[in-house]
Amino acid sequence: MNDRVEPAFLGHGEEDSNPSSNPTFDSVVQARLSRRSLLRGGVGTAATALLGGLSLAACGGGDDEPAPAAASTGTLLGFAAVAKSLDDRITVPAGYTASVLLALGDPLAAGVSAFRNDGTDSGYDRRVGDDHDGMEYFGLSTTGTPDPASSARALLGINHEYINQLFLHPNGPSPNPRPAGETDIEVDAHGVSIVEIARSGSTYAYVQNSTFNRRITAATEIQFSGPLRGHPLLITKFSPDATRTRGTVNNCGTGKTPWGTLLTGEENWTGYYFRAAGDQALRTAKANTALARYGRNVTATAAAASRYGWETAGAADKYARWNTSVTGATPADDYRHEINGQGYITEIDPYDPASVVRKRTALGRMAHENAAFGKPVAGKPLAVYLGDDARNEYIYKFVSTDNWVAADATAPNRMATGDKYLDRGKLFAAKFNADGTGQWIELSMANPTVAGFAGYAFADDGDVLMHARLAADAVGATRMDRPEWCAVAGSGEVYFTLTNNSNRRLGTVTGSQLNPDAANPRVYTDIRGASTVQSGNPNGHVIRLRENGGEPAATAFAWDIYLFGAEAGSPTNVINLSGLTSDNDLSSPDGLVYTPSTGLLWVQTDDGAYTDVTNCMMLAAVPGTVGDGGPVTIDYGASGTVTTRAGRKQTATTLKRFLVGPVDQEITGLAETPDGKALFLNVQHPGEETPFSVIGDPGKYTSHWPGNAGYGPGGANARPRSATVVVVKNDGGRVGT
Ligand code: FEO
Ligand code: CA
Ligand code: CA
Ligand code: CA
């Protein structure tokens, strides 16, 4: 979910994508070819395969056909870079094929009707949900038991972050009070899908009737686990003993545990809850501080509106729970604490459709992106890296109390293994120092700085975990440019995308603005379209760290900045510090996944800054090492200088664009088969900028993908659908070689 999506809390489609003033795809390609012709004497290398049809094999055309890609065991990044594109389709390199595996609404059980895609479908608790995001791969043996080595059969765990609301109903969403039927559809289109897939010919297909298929939605009963289970701040009318809640919402990034379960991060959940004007007068000052810090401030006259108005759909408890205001005599009489039940890393056992889902509260409550494990080492604790995606929020690490036992990787009771490693441990927040070092600072009542924080009187360790942002405020952790995904490379070094921050400023700052610092060093303006000025750090960066001694429980680390997002041709003294070219320039890195089979790091974009020139994309990157570059000083003239630690500059052998998606989407989530020969990725919310007012005029939808590629009904006039795509290399080699 991008910054530009956030105004959906106010209303949809207010920002126009302004295609009229954009260069066409052809003109972009032509300009690129012209530059290449000048530089390289007319030797075109830009030929790419354009996925215009389902499973259309990639084939470069005509005179620009590049040499065949490297053989399957060949060099990394052996493919020809894909050009930036505004086309409403997927583009992959010559020699690769991308196919749609499954999409919004596809049936996940026997007897469920085929998706009509006209807004009349329902029953999303037995269909693929909307707005696919993070994704993990869980191998299955031929007999249906866990098999991490299987590339032929598997389960995919897929997050459904939110909904492309316009296209879920025949004429778009009705205003408040919301009809119950529309609300049920929207609640059920959220959550997580577990879907069986199997190799089929040269590619993969999903299995509609698999008994492993499962939907977890915003209504599924879920248990609290860890320190907050039974905590007074989780008491609700539904659960007076504070042990359970309903639903997981805004599921963004994922994680895969060393014992073979799925972790799902609850991100922008705060906006799902209505809080009434005047509610602040019914709460303690402390409760109001906590609600404000998590985005639900109200006044005597101003309510906090909910994103979808689900609380207006009727008096039934399943709707009333979305009103997190004080309405009853005690917390057990209302849903004042309902909002406290979201914002966790939640664990699901994909191999057991009957297993109980658990919220792992020891990992803190925030706008969770994903959860990435450090390399497990027998006899040492496990480290889990976490990002809180909002402007100026923090990077975190959880360290388990128990040391890793290798046999637990295959222990049959996977959720009990989760209890062991994820319910007991310590949470830390990161502080990045200007000299390239950093500290992990413990967030618990054992830290006097937390226990004595003047800004919020923590009652106990549960209170600290539930309000981890306030605890990180207390210890002076470093406020970052929106931490998104993290990934642990084969070296054990940890990479974090910092997608962008419109609140970085030079000179005097006001409100929530911040000056640049060593770890978030760039402040610049970028022009979008004809004249839209974007300020702060609109293109984002990727920071990385190495734990001291390589220890998961280290409390100190070294860091540098692996990659600065930038438009090719932008000034190299402030913006394009990584030396990006038209073959690898990008803005707003978000998804970030390391694939062990190749050792590549895949960078995915969720961008609103460069989308006048290109749709969102995915690049393949070769990780380096912390310290492979050096100090860089940015001169801001009268505003002084900022010295950062930059990694080595990027080149054609370290970073290359691999895929560009259709219009108004983000590329997110990635999983590979163990043999590295298939990559699965998600296309989220194509056509999202379509104004609500044009629902009756399909010609004005900004995207028709994947219907226009032949997947499902609708063809060139189809409603757009979020989808999972599988990419294979035509010569049978590993993807990214
Ligand atoms: Fe759901 Fe921070 O992206
Ligand atoms: Ca994002
Ligand atoms: Ca620009
Ligand atoms: Ca994201």
Side-chain angles (χ1 to χ4, degrees):
M1 179 187 292
N2 186 276
D3 246 4
R4 78 198 149 106
V5 177
E6 292 309 312
F9 284 91
L10 307 171
H12 183 99
E14 290 143 324
E15 189 169 324
D16 187 67
S17 58
N18 192 21
S20 59
S21 63
N22 291 340
T24 64
F25 172 70
D26 283 343
S27 71
V28 171
V29 171
Q30 283 310 121
R32 185 171 176 281
L33 287 171
S34 299
R35 283 195 300 274
R36 286 183 165 276
S37 298
L38 287 170
L39 290 170
R40 302 188 180 185
V43 180
T45 58
T48 53
L50 306 175
L51 177 68
L54 178 65
S55 292
L56 175 67
C59 52
D63 297 338
D64 288 332
E65 179 71 56
S72 60
T73 56
T75 318
L76 293 178
L77 310 192
F79 56 88
V82 167
K84 295 188 286 287
S85 166
L86 292 168
D87 266 13
D88 191 27
R89 55 183 162 182
I90 286 180
T91 314
V92 292
Y96 284 87
T97 299
S99 316
V100 177
L101 179 74
L102 54 88
L104 163 73
D106 281 340
L108 287 179
V112 178
S113 59
F115 193 57
R116 292 187 292 267
N117 198 24
D118 58 3
T120 64
D121 300 280
S122 60
Y124 288 87
D125 55 347
R126 295 200 300 164
R127 297 183 182 277
V128 174
D130 204 355
D131 281 353
H132 308 34
D133 204 327
M135 177 164 55
E136 303 291 339
Y137 181 99
F138 302 92
L140 270 180
S141 71
T142 52
T143 57
T145 55
D147 179 3
S150 172
S151 294
R153 184 186 182 200
L155 304 173
L156 289 179
I158 303 170
N159 277 350
H160 299 293
E161 189 179 29
Y162 60 115
I163 51 176
N164 226 358
Q165 192 184 27
L166 174 61
F167 300 111
L168 286 179
H169 311 294
N171 298 300
S174 303
N176 293 348
R178 299 297 311 284
E182 287 186 15
T183 300
D184 293 343
I185 283 171
E186 294 177 11
V187 167
D188 285 345
H190 276 72
V192 177
S193 290
I194 306 296
V195 187
E196 182 177 342
I197 62 166
R199 194 154 53 201
S200 173
S202 62
T203 185
Y204 289 77
Y206 90 92
V207 183
Q208 176 182 340
N209 299 344
S210 170
T211 55
F212 287 105
N213 291 349
R214 181 182 189 186
R215 287 283 283 111
I216 291 105
T217 75
T220 302
E221 185 173 327
I222 295 177
Q223 293 277 320
F224 294 116
S225 206
L228 276 164
R229 182 176 174 85
H231 194 283
L233 290 175
L234 288 174
I235 292 171
T236 62
K237 187 177 177 182
F238 177 72
S239 183
D241 65 355
T243 57
R244 61 198 181 107
T245 188
R246 284 165 289 186
T248 179
V249 296
N250 216 266
N251 303 83
C252 185
T254 47
K256 184 175 177 179
T257 66
W259 51 95
T261 62
L262 175 70
L263 299 181
T264 178
E266 298 166 354
E267 189 191 19
N268 290 307
W269 41 271
T270 193
Y272 285 73
Y273 295 94
F274 172 79
R275 188 181 176 206
D279 184 67
Q280 86 292 346
L282 306 174
R283 308 261 195 169
T284 64
K286 191 182 150 183
N288 286 320
T289 296
L291 285 160
R293 188 66 180 83
Y294 283 84
R296 290 289 89 178
N297 195 33
V298 295
T299 68
T301 55
S306 67
R307 182 174 197 167
Y308 300 122
W310 291 343
E311 79 283 356
T312 69
D317 192 71
K318 67 177 179 176
Y319 307 124
R321 74 184 183 100
W322 299 103
N323 177 359
T324 199
S325 309
V326 174
T327 61
T330 76
D333 298 311
D334 62 24
Y335 288 102
R336 73 186 68 177
H337 289 160
E338 184 75 354
I339 194 171
N340 294 343
Q342 297 289 344
Y344 300 100
I345 292 292
T346 292
E347 184 177 12
I348 299 166
D349 182 356
Y351 294 110
D352 180 1
S355 59
V356 175
V357 179
R358 291 184 174 272
K359 299 205 180 202
R360 299 296 182 188
T361 63
L363 279 66
R365 177 168 164 267
M366 60 194 74
H368 276 291
E369 193 79 10
N370 73 322
F373 281 78
K375 296 170 81 173
V377 178
K380 295 194 174 182
L382 295 175
V384 187
Y385 298 91
L386 308 160
D388 182 358
D389 180 14
R391 287 172 290 185
N392 305 336
E393 293 298 344
Y394 307 110
I395 284 172
Y396 297 83
K397 175 173 76 165
F398 171 82
V399 178
S400 67
T401 299
D402 285 68
N403 291 329
W404 177 240
V405 175
D408 284 338
T410 53
N413 189 338
R414 287 170 291 275
M415 294 306 283
T417 306
D419 295 344
K420 176 180 177 182
Y421 292 106
L422 296 179
D423 284 350
R424 296 187 296 272
K426 290 180 180 175
L427 187 66
F428 301 82
K431 183 172 186 177
F432 293 81
N433 303 318
D435 64 357
T437 66
Q439 275 84 44
W440 293 111
I441 308 174
E442 184 175 339
L443 306 179
S444 79
M445 296 300 275
N447 182 339
T449 310
V450 173
F453 183 41
Y456 183 87
F458 292 103
D460 49 39
D461 280 328
D463 200 3
V464 172
L465 294 168
M466 180 179 287
H467 302 112
R469 284 179 174 177
L470 287 161
D473 291 345
V475 302
T478 303
R479 300 163 76 181
M480 310 299 287
D481 286 350
R482 292 186 58 200
E484 297 253 25
W485 282 70
C486 49
V488 178
S491 63
E493 294 186 351
V494 188
Y495 290 68
F496 275 91
T497 49
L498 299 166
T499 194
N500 54 54
N501 189 348
S502 56
N503 279 344
R504 288 280 167 196
R505 286 291 187 283
L506 297 172
T508 304
V509 293
T510 59
S512 56
Q513 294 174 344
L514 291 175
N515 286 139
D517 58 32
N520 304 274
R522 291 188 304 167
V523 175
Y524 51 99
T525 54
D526 178 79
I527 307 301
R528 182 176 190 275
S531 59
T532 302
V533 177
Q534 308 176 115
S535 301
N537 175 14
N539 298 143
H541 55 289
V542 179
I543 201 166
R544 66 183 164 189
L545 62 88
R546 178 174 64 236
E547 300 282 17
N548 278 11
E551 293 291 333
T555 55
F557 57 84
W559 67 269
D560 69 4
I561 293 177
Y562 169 68
L563 169 64
F564 294 91
E567 300 180 6
S570 55
T572 55
N573 58 339
V574 177
I575 304 175
N576 192 5
L577 297 172
S578 293
L580 304 187
T581 69
S582 60
D583 283 346
N584 60 13
D585 59 339
L586 76 150
S587 177
S588 302
D590 182 342
L592 187 72
V593 177
Y594 177 79
T595 47
S597 76
T598 51
L600 287 172
L601 195 59
W602 299 86
V603 182
Q604 303 169 320
T605 69
D606 173 17
D607 184 40
Y610 204 11
T611 45
D612 52 342
V613 172
T614 182
N615 300 333
C616 289
M617 63 182 71
M618 183 167 85
L619 305 96
V622 177
T625 309
V626 172
D628 61 14
V632 169
T633 297
I634 303 172
D635 185 353
Y636 288 117
S639 297
T641 62
V642 174
T643 297
T644 186
R645 307 273 155 170
R648 67 184 179 197
K649 290 190 188 303
Q650 300 291 342
T651 69
T653 59
T654 63
L655 182 67
K656 193 177 281 187
R657 189 177 304 107
F658 180 82
L659 177 148
V660 179
V663 174
D664 283 352
Q665 52 78 47
E666 74 173 271
I667 300 295
T668 181
L670 184 135
E672 66 166 356
T673 51
D675 63 13
K677 295 180 177 179
L679 274 194
F680 303 90
L681 57 96
N682 287 320
V683 175
Q684 186 189 81
H685 66 69
E688 183 176 61
E689 298 296 323
T690 302
F692 276 18
S693 59
V694 306
I695 186 63
D697 187 354
K700 292 184 177 171
Y701 300 171
T702 64
S703 173
H704 300 282
W705 188 89
N708 64 358
Y711 190 86
N717 277 326
R719 293 178 177 217
R721 300 162 72 183
S722 295
T724 301
V725 168
V726 55
V727 179
V728 297
K729 196 174 182 193
N730 298 340
D731 70 0
R734 291 173 302 147
V735 178
T737 55

